Amino acid sequence: METQSPQLTLLRIDGMSCAGCVRSVETALDSVPGVTLATVNFAGQTAAVTGTDNITDLIDAVQAVGYEASLFRDESVDHQELEAGLVLRRAMVKSALALIAALILMADMWLGLLPPLAEQSIWLTIGVATLVLMVYCGGQFYKGAWNALRHYSTTMDTLIALGTGTAWLYSMLVLLVPGLIPVQSHHQFFEAALFIIGFVGLGKALELNARTRSSLAIRKLFDMTPAYATLIGEAGDSLVPLEEIAAGQSVRIKPGENIPVDGKVLDGITTTNESMLTGESELVVKTYGSLVYAGTLNVEGSVVVEVNEVGESTRLAGISRLVSAAQNSKPAVAVLVDQITAVFVPIVLGLAVLTAALWLWLGPEPQLSYAIVTAMSVLIVACPCALGLAVPMSIMIGLGQAAKKGLLISNSNVLQMASKLDVMVLDKTGTLTMGKPDIVDSSGLTEQHLMQVHGLEIFSSHPLAQAIVQYCQGRNIAASDVSSFKNHVGGGVTGEADGRRLILGSPGFLKSQGIRNVPEIDAIGTIVSLGMDDQFIGYLLLQDKVRPETKAILQSLIKRGIQPIMLTGDREQVAKQVAAQVGIDEYHAEVSPDEKLIIIESLQSVGRCVGMVGDGINDAAALAQANVGFAMGLGTDIARESADVTLQGDSLNGIESTIKVSVKVLRNMHQNLFAAFAYNIVLIPVAAGLLYPSFNLLIDPALAGLAMALSSVTVVLNAGRLRSI
Ligand code: ADP
Ligand code: MG
């Protein structure tokens, strides 16, 4: 399964500390020649780049703006987990250190253990120690701010660095040149600076933890392929590393083992659990000729499997790549958030300066002290760290959960769109119906004709064709040699055999191919007619079964206010019957693939948000045009590639779950954005001192740091709730 555009490069980016960094990295990557799209996922610390595969250029560009980049390697989950654990521990230790130091300082002050500021030598020692701790525990903020400054930009690090830097510098000025500063303003802010570093660092550490956990969770889900396989060689069985296994070889798979490769059962019988691919936990029976997939679990039997695909080309690997690319994609709302962040920091800097100026001018004594405290609080409280997390956290967890349910969502905009759908266009054959029809009549066709029909249909991937081929095989009807085969999407197939021109397909298609005497056939079911040269020969009558879940799904769509419309290339008669059977009021029969597309476009042009479900080549254009395209899991490759969501279990149930997941993720995302913004919007004026005149209320810079950490924690916890959907 092709799941990735050929030129998608995944990079791992290190050193990004906030949403502002995301923009710098994206701009840098965008400016590399050839790049068509670069999206950075802050939560996953990765970048997805399309348009070029010149890794060195990309890495250079990222380094030039002050971050580290490397090709995203699929390291083992264990290794990543270990590394993430170490990073987290280090971050926690650093924050704890800063907080403890701040607490000691504060406690000493309360207990009156510290001498007055005039005791220069003691205070200078404390000042220097504070600086050392600030740099050691909060180095990331200063580095980030410096990087941004070098490129004339600002990030959230700028706010933290400026806030704590001002606190320290001011305190040192008070100590070193007390004469410069009015006596009433002789205060030190060492502990405030340390508290800020400690709290903000703590928030970051928690954030980091949640981030790695959610990106690893999904990787873990897919990291089910064992590292070794039992190769059946001439000298008997031997356990060899998976890298040494190649397509065409045979491997033995024992009960309880995870299947290491994609392949075909040659011998034995077993049942497998494919829930990691399909979301369905019901066991699947595998016998001779059945396909098995890497990562699924072999439950009870022992089988010999011929290897088709191994490693990166297995279905599992494809799905895993698709999911990480989707987690990297940005929904429209994230772009908006980025734009807001870009202007937010400079605005806050302006506000901090304004606040300081107003306090100096209008404030009570000691003005300078108040000015410094309020400006510092504004800088710290405004830092929209949680903002950068709000959207990606929800998306990563939401898409991961969706994948567990067997929904492959290929881009995150689906989440935004799926909850707005008000029409669902459904294809008939293979979508509403099973696409595995029985042949109930073969009127007018001799064995010779059936051989020709067989010969034609082995070239086609249409569900009807597959049914016909199976029918012929079941009756030991050989396939004639067919030349100049041509597929006419949505109509039928043509070719030449035994020196005659063969036309096979719907009655309408036969007419369009110049067959003269096509009769009106009054029978229930889909008709596939055979024409030879310009003569009608006979037809096959096929009856398909409606999927068992169809009716219930359509009912619940209608309940959600989504109108179902059926489109089919099949005859009016069959369309009408199926529509009545499943409870659809509006249907269009005998529509060509182009017409499917046009119907969707016209629905969109009157402002409707259109979903489309299909399985065939004839649905691909419509799937791509729809606001959200759903492809059946066992549908054709091209349908899956054109769609936004692949329903892995090959059941319509996934449509409902996609909508449900989307609604929940979207709501979660909005809550997150609200939480992230609410703290800032509410606290900035308070920090600036707006409530001081009437309530005597100010925010201590240390408290501001705590509030900020809290906003990150709120977002992380809230997004975590999605794990239970
Ligand atoms: P749907 O829109 O319901 O999935 P299609 O557009 O794929 O149906 O097909 C429409 C009609 O064209 C079918 O009912 C069938 O009669 C004819 N047809 C298409 N492809 C084939 C084929 N490979 N062999 C026989 N008939 C075909
Ligand atoms: Mg179809």
Side-chain angles (χ1 to χ4, degrees):
M1 169 166 110
E2 180 62 45
T3 50
Q4 225 180 349
S5 62
Q7 293 213 319
L8 184 103
T9 309
L10 267 184
L11 294 176
R12 178 181 160 146
I13 311 288
D14 285 311
M16 290 190 299
S17 53
C18 64
C21 311
V22 169
R23 266 186 79 82
S24 321
V25 176
E26 266 172 11
T27 321
L29 288 171
D30 270 334
S31 66
V32 173
V35 170
T36 45
L37 186 70
T39 47
V40 170
N41 174 3
F42 176 53
Q45 304 270 291
T46 50
V49 185
T50 51
T52 180
D53 50 7
N54 189 337
I55 312 289
T56 1
D57 275 7
L58 294 174
I59 292 181
D60 286 349
V62 176
Q63 281 173 341
V65 292
Y67 305 92
E68 280 308 314
S70 54
L71 193 60
F72 185 82
R73 273 177 305 131
D74 251 1
E75 286 154 345
S76 82
V77 173
D78 288 344
H79 178 85
Q80 282 190 33
E81 213 163 22
L82 206 69
E83 197 183 348
L86 281 179
V87 172
L88 177 68
R89 188 126 30 99
R90 218 175 300 143
M92 292 291 239
V93 166
K94 284 182 177 177
S95 328
L97 209 62
L99 286 178
I100 291 169
L103 274 175
I104 294 177
L105 215 56
M106 204 169 77
D108 284 349
M109 236 157 10
W110 276 346
L111 297 172
L113 293 177
L114 289 173
L117 290 182
E119 293 272 354
Q120 259 201 357
S121 57
I122 293 182
W123 276 105
L124 280 178
T125 318
I126 296 178
V128 172
T130 303
L131 183 65
V132 171
L133 278 175
M134 280 164 68
V135 172
Y136 177 69
C137 305
Q140 42 164 334
F141 304 122
Y142 305 109
K143 222 188 278 165
W146 172 241
N147 272 336
L149 186 67
R150 279 198 323 180
H151 299 95
Y152 310 107
S153 74
T154 50
T155 68
M156 300 186 205
D157 290 329
T158 313
L159 301 180
I160 309 283
L162 269 180
T164 54
T166 326
W168 187 82
L169 258 181
Y170 175 80
S171 313
M172 288 306 271
L173 280 182
V174 170
L175 296 181
L176 292 173
V177 276
L180 267 185
I181 294 159
V183 178
Q184 313 91 304
S185 300
H186 281 192
H187 294 291
Q188 57 81 24
F189 296 106
F190 292 136
E191 92 283 357
L194 287 174
F195 268 127
I196 292 167
I197 300 275
F199 282 133
V200 180
L202 195 67
K204 290 243 166 224
L206 291 177
E207 185 187 305
L208 183 79
N209 184 33
R211 227 163 48 190
T212 32
R213 269 210 314 164
S214 54
S215 72
L216 281 180
I218 175 81
R219 290 280 321 281
K220 243 185 181 158
L221 185 69
F222 291 117
D223 201 36
M224 308 289 248
T225 322
Y228 289 87
T230 311
L231 183 68
I232 305 176
E234 278 155 23
D237 288 9
S238 57
L239 206 58
V240 296
L242 208 52
E243 299 88 67
E244 291 171 22
I245 305 276
Q249 293 179 320
S250 299
V251 293
R252 191 183 309 282
I253 298 156
K254 294 168 197 161
E257 281 182 355
N258 276 318
I259 296 172
V261 297
D262 283 5
K264 199 160 87 182
V265 176
L266 293 181
D267 192 20
I269 175 166
T270 187
T271 51
T272 60
N273 180 341
E274 299 190 338
S275 63
M276 45 295 282
L277 286 182
T278 63
E280 310 256 333
S281 50
E282 213 161 287
L283 298 182
V284 194
V285 178
K286 303 285 178 178
T287 58
Y288 177 80
S290 309
L291 297 176
V292 294
Y293 300 102
T296 58
L297 179 71
N298 178 29
V299 181
E300 49 186 27
S302 177
V303 284
V304 176
V305 166
E306 182 189 41
V307 180
N308 291 340
E309 306 284 351
V310 60
E312 283 304 298
S313 49
T314 59
R315 234 177 112 182
L316 186 77
I319 292 174
S320 150
R321 271 198 303 272
L322 183 89
V323 174
S324 27
Q327 285 181 324
N328 242 307
S329 69
K330 264 186 199 172
V333 51
V335 176
L336 184 70
V337 170
D338 284 354
Q339 284 165 351
I340 295 175
T341 326
V343 293
F344 195 78
V345 175
I347 290 181
V348 169
L349 290 178
L351 279 178
V353 171
L354 185 70
T355 305
L358 283 175
W359 279 92
L360 278 178
W361 179 34
L362 302 170
E365 293 269 314
Q367 281 101 341
L368 193 58
S369 252
Y370 275 119
I372 296 277
V373 171
T374 49
M376 239 159 70
S377 301
V378 168
L379 286 177
I380 303 305
V381 99
C383 178
C385 285
L387 204 55
L389 271 184
V391 174
M393 279 305 284
S394 303
I395 286 184
M396 286 191 72
I397 301 180
L399 289 181
Q401 288 302 115
K404 277 191 201 169
K405 289 175 194 276
L407 303 171
L408 276 192
I409 299 182
S410 68
N411 78 66
S412 50
N413 241 338
V414 168
L415 297 173
Q416 241 180 316
M417 277 314 196
S419 46
K420 294 197 197 125
L421 293 178
D422 53 14
V423 195
M424 187 67 75
V425 174
L426 303 115
D427 164 58
K428 179 181 75 72
T429 320
T431 301
L432 290 175
T433 67
M434 309 274 265
K436 290 190 189 103
D438 296 321
I439 283 91
V440 293
D441 193 4
S442 55
S443 200
L445 301 182
T446 62
E447 173 137 357
Q448 160 97 34
H449 293 135
L450 285 173
M451 283 166 65
Q452 293 164 338
V453 168
H454 188 183
L456 273 171
E457 294 287 41
I458 43 180
F459 290 107
S460 167
S461 62
H462 198 276
L464 293 176
Q466 288 170 7
I468 292 172
V469 168
Q470 257 175 22
Y471 171 81
C472 293
Q473 282 171 348
R475 305 183 159 229
N476 290 323
I477 296 169
S480 305
D481 262 341
V482 167
S483 58
S484 19
F485 170 86
K486 193 160 183 287
N487 186 38
H488 303 260
V489 177
V493 292
T494 55
E496 274 166 36
D498 311 316
R500 316 285 297 262
R501 189 171 83 100
L502 302 173
I503 303 104
L504 186 71
S506 65
F509 173 65
L510 261 68
K511 280 182 206 155
S512 75
Q513 290 288 315
I515 307 291
R516 281 192 233 120
N517 51 341
V518 182
E520 284 302 317
I521 300 157
D522 189 24
I524 294 178
T526 302
I527 289 168
V528 174
S529 320
L530 176 68
M532 202 177 275
D533 296 333
D534 60 357
Q535 289 299 311
F536 175 85
I537 302 290
Y539 64 88
L540 288 165
L541 184 63
L542 296 93
Q543 284 174 357
D544 201 355
K545 280 180 281 304
V546 168
R547 286 179 194 273
E549 74 274 13
T550 302
K551 198 165 177 178
I553 295 291
L554 293 176
Q555 286 304 321
S556 66
L557 285 182
I558 293 171
K559 230 181 260 156
R560 282 182 184 273
I562 301 176
Q563 182 202 356
I565 299 178
M566 181 176 95
L567 301 185
T568 178
D570 209 345
R571 299 184 302 150
E572 163 76 23
Q573 232 176 336
V574 190
K576 189 172 174 180
Q577 189 218 346
V578 173
Q581 205 179 341
V582 299
I584 288 185
D585 293 333
E586 186 176 343
Y587 66 87
H588 303 265
E590 288 172 54
V591 288
S592 68
D594 300 349
E595 287 162 346
K596 288 189 178 181
L597 174 72
I598 291 168
I599 291 173
I600 291 191
E601 278 174 341
S602 65
L603 285 166
Q604 285 170 329
S605 70
V606 295
R608 305 190 69 172
C609 191
V610 187
M612 159 87 201
V613 201
D615 67 313
I617 306 176
N618 59 333
D619 304 317
L623 284 171
Q625 174 65 32
N627 298 80
V628 183
F630 298 85
M632 302 307 290
L634 295 183
T636 53
D637 287 350
I638 178 157
R640 287 203 303 262
E641 275 164 41
S642 316
D644 305 295
V645 184
T646 303
L647 308 171
Q648 285 287 55
D650 199 52
S651 121
L652 293 171
N653 290 322
I655 299 174
E656 262 257 87
S657 340
T658 306
I659 296 175
K660 275 192 197 152
V661 168
S662 304
V663 169
K664 284 191 181 144
V665 172
L666 205 63
R667 194 185 306 141
N668 193 271
M669 208 148 79
H670 288 156
Q671 290 162 347
N672 277 352
L673 283 174
F674 178 79
F677 258 133
Y679 279 92
N680 295 325
I681 303 298
V682 172
L683 291 180
I684 291 176
V686 184
L690 210 64
L691 297 183
Y692 186 79
S694 13
F695 299 101
N696 221 2
L697 187 71
L698 274 184
I699 297 183
D700 194 65
L703 272 182
L706 180 64
M708 244 206 45
L710 275 183
S711 94
S712 291
V713 171
T714 313
V715 166
V716 167
L717 287 180
N718 187 50
R721 292 193 310 130
L722 283 176
R723 275 183 235 280
S724 60
I725 59 173

